[in-house]
C-alpha cells in the first residue's frame, strides 16, 4: 500500500532503502518487427542537429523575400546573408528546441527542414536564392545549410553496443509527452559514448517509493524495463533513436542503457 507523506508528519525524516532485483540471466535481445527504413529515412530528411561548436549565428540565414515578402514558397526568390556553396542544392531549416542534458548543459539545437534552395547570384555576403521546394512557408531568420548525406542502410542490423552505455530520453521531436512504438526519441548519449546506427538499448523507468508496512522505512522499488530502442542517427553528444518495442508508454526522463548491463 502506498502511504502519503502526510501520514508520518512529525516523525523523523525517513531513509530511503533501495531494493535491488536478484541476479538473473540476460535474455538475447532481438527486434521482432521489421525495420521501417522509409520511416527512418523520412525522419532524418526532416530533422538534424547543430551541435555545440557549430555556432547557429554564423550560418547563412534568410533576411527577406523578393518584393519585401514576409513569407515565401517554392519558385520564389529570397535573399540570404552568409556563405553558400554556388550552384548546389542546400536545405532550408527552422530552429527548434535546444537539447539539454540532465544537468542543464547544452547538447545541440534541433533543426527542422522547411525545403531546399539553390543560389542564383551573390554580391558581397548577400545572395539571391531560388526556393526549389518547400512544405512550409520560408521566413526571415530561417537558416540554410548543405544537405546531409543520407546513408540509411537498406536493412539495419540491430546489435548490442560493444561498451556499457547509460543515458536517458531527453526529448521527443514533435513535442508529444508520451511515446509509443515507431516514434523517434532524442537521447543524451552519442558517438563519444560508443554508439553507432543499429545499436540497441533498453529503456528503464525508475520504480516508485513505498513504505515498509512493518518498519515504516521508505523503500525505493527497482527500475522496470519498459521498452527497447534502436539508434538511427548518433551525433557526438546525443542521438536520435527509434522505439522498437514497448510494454508501456515511454516518457522523457526514462533511462536507457546497454541490454547486457
Amino acid at each position: 500500500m502506498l502511504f502519503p507523506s502526510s501520514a508520518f508528519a512529525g516523525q523523523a525524516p525517513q531513509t530511503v532503502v533501495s531494493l535491488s532485483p536478484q541476479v538473473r540471466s540476460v535474455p538475447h535481445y532481438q527486434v521482432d518487427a521489421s525495420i521501417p527504413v522509409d520511416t527512418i529515412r523520412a525522419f532524418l530528411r526532416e530533422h538534424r542537429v547543430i551541435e555545440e561548436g557549430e555556432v547557429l549565428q554564423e550560418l547563412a540565414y534568410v533576411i527577406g523575400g523578393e518584393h519585401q515578402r514576409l513569407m515565401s514558397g517554392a519558385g520564389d526568390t529570397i535573399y540570404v546573408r552568409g556563405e553558400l556553396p554556388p550552384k548546389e542544392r542546400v536545405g532550408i531549416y527552422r530552429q527548434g528546441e535546444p537539447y539539454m542534458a540532465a544537468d542543464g548543459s547544452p547538447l545541440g539545437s534541433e533543426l527542422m527542414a522547411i525545403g531546399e534552395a539553390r543560389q542564383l547570384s551573390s554580391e558581397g555576403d548577400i545572395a539571391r536564392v531560388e526556393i526549389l521546394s518547400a512544405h512550409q512557408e520560408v521566413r526571415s531568420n530561417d537558416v540554410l545549410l548543405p544537405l546531409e548525406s543520407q546513408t540509411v542502410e537498406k536493412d539495419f542490423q540491430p546489435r548490442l553496443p560493444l561498451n556499457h552505455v547509460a543515458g536517458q530520453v531527453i526529448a521527443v521531436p514533435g513535442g508529444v509527452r508520451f511515446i509509443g512504438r515507431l516514434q523517434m526519441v532524442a537521447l543524451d548519449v552519442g558517438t563519444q559514448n560508443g554508439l553507432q546506427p543499429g545499436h540497441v538499448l533498453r529503456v528503464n523507468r525508475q520504480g516508485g517509493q513505498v513504505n515498509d508496512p512493518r518498519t515504516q522505512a521508505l523503500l525505493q522499488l527497482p527500475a522496470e524495463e519498459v521498452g527497447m530502442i534502436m539508434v538511427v542517427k548518433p551525433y557526438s553528444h546525443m542521438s536520435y533513436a527509434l522505439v522498437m518495442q514497448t510494454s508501456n508508454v515511454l516518457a522523457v526522463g526514462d533511462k536507457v542503457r546497454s541490454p547486457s548491463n
Side-chain angles (χ1 to χ4, degrees), residues 86-246:
K87 300 181 181 180
E88 289 185 19
R89 295 175 73 98
V90 295
I92 308 171
Y93 300 91
R94 184 161 299 146
Q95 185 177 3
E97 294 298 319
Y99 289 127
M100 311 293 287
D103 62 3
S105 57
L107 298 174
S109 297
E110 178 189 26
L111 294 182
M112 297 170 290
I114 301 300
E116 295 185 10
R118 182 173 52 212
Q119 177 178 310
L120 297 174
S121 61
S122 65
E123 182 176 336
D125 65 347
I126 298 179
R128 289 182 67 249
V129 174
E130 179 189 6
I131 301 174
L132 301 176
S133 63
H135 60 269
Q136 293 187 39
E137 72 280 356
V138 177
R139 308 173 187 167
S140 294
N141 209 37
D142 287 342
V143 299
L144 284 78
L145 279 170
L147 296 169
E148 284 187 311
S149 58
Q150 296 294 321
T151 57
V152 178
E153 303 171 38
K154 183 176 181 181
D155 295 301
F156 277 92
Q157 296 298 322
R159 61 197 188 280
L160 301 183
L162 298 178
N163 57 303
H164 170 68
V165 177
Q168 70 176 29
V169 177
I170 58 171
V172 187
V176 299
R177 182 177 179 188
F178 297 107
I179 310 153
R181 182 175 173 272
L182 300 186
Q183 283 186 270
M184 290 287 184
V185 295
L187 313 177
D188 64 354
V189 284
T191 56
Q192 69 170 6
N193 306 100
L195 288 181
Q196 298 176 6
H199 278 167
V200 171
L201 302 172
R202 71 184 184 191
V203 185
N204 291 342
R205 177 163 303 150
Q206 182 62 57
Q209 294 182 342
V210 298
N211 287 98
D212 188 299
R214 297 187 178 182
T215 67
Q216 304 306 321
L218 189 60
L219 305 178
Q220 177 68 60
L221 298 180
E224 173 192 6
E225 184 175 338
V226 292
M228 184 171 69
I229 60 177
M230 184 182 68
V231 175
V232 299
K233 179 62 174 179
Y235 292 86
S236 295
H237 302 286
M238 60 165 294
S239 301
Y240 285 128
L242 179 72
V243 178
M244 299 301 296
Q245 295 175 0
T246 61

